[in-house]
Amino acid sequence: MRPWTSSTWRRAAGVSVTAVCLWYAPFAMTELWSYASPGAPAPGKWLLAHTVSPRYVTDALATRVAPYRHSLIPMIVHSVLGGLLMLLGPAQLLTAARRRVRLHRALGVVFAVTVYASMAGAGLYLARTAPKDAFSGAAFWIVLATILVGTVLSVTFGILAAVGGFPDLHQRWMLLCYGYLLTAPLLRLEWGALPAVLPGLPMAEVNRVAVMHLGSLVVFGALLASRAKDPRDGVDGLGRSWAPLPVTAAAHLVGAAALLWIARALSAYGTTGNRLLAAYLVPFAVAYAVMAHGARRAARAGRLWAREEWRIHLTALCLAPVLSAGAVAVFQHTLGLGRFTALTAGVAIGCGITAFGATLVVSLRLMYAREVRKRSLPAPLPVPRRTTAVP
């Protein structure tokens, strides 16, 4: 049995995600209370101070006060509803697994409304805050804006897929949406873990390291979950691959060139640049190895649909450095960012955006296959008309 579809792997992944969500939910709901009322309970800050150091937390808070001052209410709404989403996500996965259709639909409506309301709060904060004034700077502002757009679009496409009668696509989009949402608890975990690996870094620098790979990690996890929940080896009406060998080969060539450019550009900034490069390359290499292995293994086993989805996402991953390299120039000339800030932002958003594009291509691929299948079905025989004899 394939490792990412085995019941043991799926159970372990589900338990891990649920544990992270339950752990983070109370921290998210109370994270910003102390900004509105000094002395209010802040268990997340208390835990972080005891995990790293009180000075680490104090310095981070000092840099967050000003950006949040003019958008405190929207940010509180965003964080409280974000904590609720951490509880609704596992509930949705459980009701889907147990085939509790009515409960799943009811919770799905609550989930979608909560996503829109929570992202509206974050959107107000971003709209009222200039990129250079945001917590952790312009690069972090761009990453947050990208995650916001990806979250809103993915939940919207998930709703449209459900209404249109595409449960498999609905599942993929909602998993991607929740992957974007999981960047919040994963970032908090890195706030506590990275200072042990990189001692002395302030939280603003920890954020910069974390965003180098959080996007690639969450979309990669969403892909693994999608493949684990789709046991089909083939799809009727699939036809020729949309990611044939010439396409994948070209994506590899341009992707390798862009990846080399990114490596040279980041290495020019010494220790800081090399640190960011390592944070980007290691998860990228792991994701590439798993996707390439999955596509090769599916091809050998004759599982055409599994091979197709792996290839589409592998092609998108190869194109992520290309998108990042192009984004650097755009950020420099349109937003007036410095070279290093533009480079950090461009590299950070590449994998998340191309994974969204790959999911969109997969959706179109399945919709096209269903249309081909419909056209290939024989037309129904005409029903003979009954006539009444005239006496």
Side-chain angles (χ1 to χ4, degrees):
M1 181 175 288
R2 299 183 294 279
W4 43 77
T5 58
S6 68
S7 59
T8 302
W9 185 92
R10 292 173 61 179
R11 190 178 298 110
V15 170
S16 299
V17 170
T18 301
V20 169
C21 293
L22 294 178
W23 165 83
Y24 176 62
F27 297 153
M29 292 181 176
T30 59
E31 185 173 11
L32 298 179
W33 288 4
S34 60
Y35 290 88
S37 177
K45 296 172 187 174
W46 178 89
L47 180 62
L48 192 59
H50 285 75
T51 302
V52 185
S53 71
R55 177 64 181 273
Y56 175 74
V57 177
T58 301
D59 292 345
L61 294 182
T63 60
R64 298 173 78 181
V65 171
Y68 290 165
R69 182 176 299 155
H70 302 296
S71 305
L72 188 55
I73 293 178
M75 284 301 292
I76 290 176
V77 171
H78 169 68
S79 63
V80 171
L81 294 181
L84 178 59
L85 289 171
M86 292 298 103
L87 303 177
L88 288 172
Q92 280 296 83
L93 293 176
L94 182 61
T95 54
R98 298 291 179 86
R99 301 186 185 279
R100 302 288 298 275
V101 178
R102 291 184 178 179
L103 181 58
H104 182 76
R105 288 176 179 173
L107 289 177
V109 172
V110 177
F111 181 88
V113 171
T114 306
V115 167
Y116 288 132
S118 177
M119 293 302 112
L124 284 174
Y125 160 71
L126 293 173
R128 294 175 177 178
T129 307
K132 63 183 180 62
D133 296 329
F135 174 54
S136 289
F140 198 64
W141 187 98
I142 292 172
V143 172
L144 292 178
T146 304
I147 293 173
L148 186 152
V149 173
T151 303
V152 171
L153 288 180
S154 56
V155 75
T156 302
F157 287 162
I159 294 170
L160 294 176
V163 172
F166 291 92
D168 48 354
L169 297 184
H170 168 73
Q171 182 174 264
R172 281 169 170 79
W173 283 115
M174 298 312 293
L175 286 170
L176 182 62
C177 173
Y178 208 68
Y180 289 137
L181 292 172
L182 283 175
T183 54
L186 292 178
L187 178 61
R188 271 63 180 184
L189 288 174
E190 299 213 17
W191 284 355
L194 284 181
V197 181
L198 303 169
L201 284 186
M203 187 180 290
E205 287 299 316
V206 170
N207 281 344
R208 192 174 306 203
V209 174
V211 297
M212 287 292 103
H213 53 258
L214 279 182
S216 60
L217 284 178
V218 296
V219 297
F220 179 54
L223 171 61
L224 292 181
S226 297
R227 288 300 321 139
K229 290 181 174 294
D230 189 350
R232 297 173 297 180
D233 290 337
V235 172
D236 292 337
L238 191 63
R240 294 182 179 179
S241 173
W242 285 13
L245 183 58
V247 172
T248 57
H252 277 75
L253 288 175
V254 296
L259 199 61
L260 180 60
W261 180 87
I262 289 173
R264 288 179 174 175
L266 284 174
S267 297
Y269 292 93
T271 302
T272 301
N274 288 329
R275 182 167 58 232
L276 298 182
L277 179 61
Y280 173 72
L281 284 181
V282 173
F284 186 96
V286 171
Y288 177 88
V290 173
M291 291 181 194
H293 175 72
R296 188 180 304 110
R297 188 167 183 174
R300 290 176 179 174
R303 296 181 286 112
L304 299 183
W305 169 239
R307 181 194 66 179
E308 180 76 353
E309 186 166 15
W310 283 120
R311 278 187 174 182
I312 290 173
H313 276 274
L314 181 62
T315 302
L317 181 67
C318 290
L319 293 176
V322 180
L323 185 145
S324 294
V328 173
V330 172
F331 293 153
Q332 280 187 281
H333 292 92
T334 61
L335 298 180
L337 301 182
R339 170 76 170 178
F340 183 63
T341 301
L343 183 61
T344 304
V347 173
I349 66 174
C351 292
I353 292 179
T354 55
F356 182 94
T359 306
L360 185 60
V361 172
V362 168
S363 299
L364 295 174
R365 190 75 181 89
L366 286 173
M367 294 170 67
Y368 178 77
R370 189 167 82 167
E371 189 63 26
V372 170
R373 185 171 66 251
K374 284 182 179 179
R375 293 180 180 179
S376 64
L377 294 176
L381 296 176
V383 179
R385 300 178 61 183
R386 297 180 64 181
T387 60
T388 304
V390 179

